Amino acid sequence: MKKLSYILRALRSPRKIIQSLSCIYNDEVYWDAYVHDWRKSGQASQLDCLGNEWKGEEIFLSLLEKYSSPRSHALEIGCGGGRITSRAAELFQRIHAADISSEMLRQCQRTLPYKNVSYHKLDGFTLREFSDSSIDLVFSHDVFVHFSSLQVYPYLQEIKRVIRTDGIALISFYNFFHHFELFKEMSFKFHNDRRFPPHMRVHFLTEDMLRHMLADLRLEIVEIEKTNFLISCFRRTPSTG
């Protein structure tokens, strides 16, 4: 009864309704605004594509190349402005570039008008646009760093659904131990500001947490790389269903 009473009080408050909607849509709004700010900043004339202002993708790209095939169809979760997509387009027969932000998708398509790249709007929760066992390889770099473990697990389940038997997934996360100084910096910032971030959540995983989730989903770990990002390569085997 207490919970119901709280819900009813919240529904009577327009401000709380707006805040709730904001929580649902803030990721899309944030990244749409990021694209507009990026265009105005002049970086568009200095960089090949939006996202090149961020660094540290070299190891991920080397693993992507290692597991790629020119006959494969790949799905990228969180293509952003195309910094990883641009390289992936050279490695796969077909790329499905997906993102929660409509503006990111427009920017990526403008930068990379490749015939073998199609663009897809995500809902932030599922991969429902993609059929079961339809993708050879799923990859995502510097995107799951914004997902809490409560979001990561359902996404791993969705990835398992869409990849074919023996299909591969390559996903990067912030490594709690390797990025501990960043973790401290951000945690103290939130504490000192006395408020949670209104956008762009940042989250950290440990290898043990990731291994436990993958084992529970009966996904086989192929390789884990921990030099910088925590990068997991895993696959769906015939025995995982």
Side-chain angles (χ1 to χ4, degrees):
M1 289 299 294
K2 285 185 178 179
K3 186 178 292 187
L4 177 60
S5 175
Y6 175 80
I7 292 171
L8 291 173
R9 286 201 307 272
L11 289 174
R12 285 195 289 267
S13 168
R15 181 169 173 268
K16 288 182 178 178
I17 293 173
I18 291 171
Q19 286 177 337
S20 297
L21 291 173
S22 160
C23 290
I24 297 171
Y25 294 112
N26 64 359
D27 284 346
E28 180 176 5
V29 170
Y30 175 82
W31 290 115
D32 282 353
Y34 188 96
V35 176
H36 291 299
D37 292 342
W38 184 84
R39 290 170 183 161
K40 293 177 183 177
S41 71
Q43 292 188 82
S45 62
Q46 302 169 16
L47 302 171
D48 292 335
C49 64
L50 187 155
N52 282 351
E53 61 269 30
W54 305 312
K55 307 298 178 184
E57 67 270 17
E58 294 81 11
I59 295 175
F60 185 88
L61 286 174
S62 68
L63 289 170
L64 186 63
E65 183 173 0
K66 176 180 177 180
Y67 293 104
S68 66
S69 166
R71 297 182 300 277
S72 293
H73 287 211
L75 164 62
E76 180 179 15
I77 300 174
C79 63
R83 67 167 169 151
I84 306 298
T85 323
S86 59
R87 179 70 183 113
E90 302 171 358
L91 301 173
F92 296 92
Q93 182 181 43
R94 185 78 182 174
I95 298 289
H96 300 280
D99 205 283
I100 193 174
S101 164
S102 298
E103 288 301 317
M104 280 289 188
L105 290 169
R106 290 191 190 97
Q107 181 64 37
C108 191
Q109 189 168 15
R110 181 186 302 177
T111 305
L112 308 173
Y114 300 159
K115 291 182 178 179
N116 68 328
V117 180
S118 59
Y119 295 91
H120 309 265
K121 178 76 165 59
L122 294 176
D123 62 14
F125 297 94
T126 70
L127 301 173
R128 62 184 179 186
E129 185 173 338
F130 302 94
S131 303
D132 296 0
S133 304
S134 60
I135 302 294
D136 298 300
L137 187 144
V138 174
F139 67 96
S140 184
H141 177 62
D142 213 2
V143 174
F144 278 64
V145 300
H146 302 300
F147 298 168
S148 85
S149 53
L150 298 176
Q151 293 170 285
V152 169
Y153 184 88
Y155 256 116
L156 294 177
Q157 188 173 48
E158 276 287 84
I159 290 170
K160 176 183 177 181
R161 178 183 65 79
V162 302
I163 56 176
R164 296 188 173 104
T165 301
D166 288 326
I168 291 286
L170 190 66
I171 312 292
S172 69
F173 307 86
Y174 271 152
N175 185 337
F176 177 77
F177 294 107
H178 182 84
H179 295 104
F180 188 68
E181 291 304 315
L182 176 62
F183 170 84
K184 285 199 302 183
E185 176 188 338
M186 300 194 78
S187 65
F188 281 127
K189 181 183 186 306
F190 299 153
H191 175 77
N192 293 333
D193 290 347
R194 293 294 192 271
R195 64 182 176 84
F196 291 110
H199 57 251
M200 197 179 174
R201 302 175 307 276
V202 176
H203 295 278
F204 302 78
L205 278 186
T206 66
E207 181 181 348
D208 284 346
M209 290 172 67
L210 181 57
R211 285 183 177 275
H212 192 80
M213 285 189 277
L214 292 173
D216 188 70
L217 290 167
R218 299 171 65 200
L219 289 164
E220 180 180 273
I221 295 173
V222 178
E223 181 176 357
I224 287 186
E225 219 294 334
K226 299 181 290 182
T227 304
N228 185 7
F229 286 87
L230 175 61
I231 304 174
S232 175
C233 177
F234 55 91
R235 69 188 182 109
R236 174 186 167 190
T237 66
S239 62
T240 61

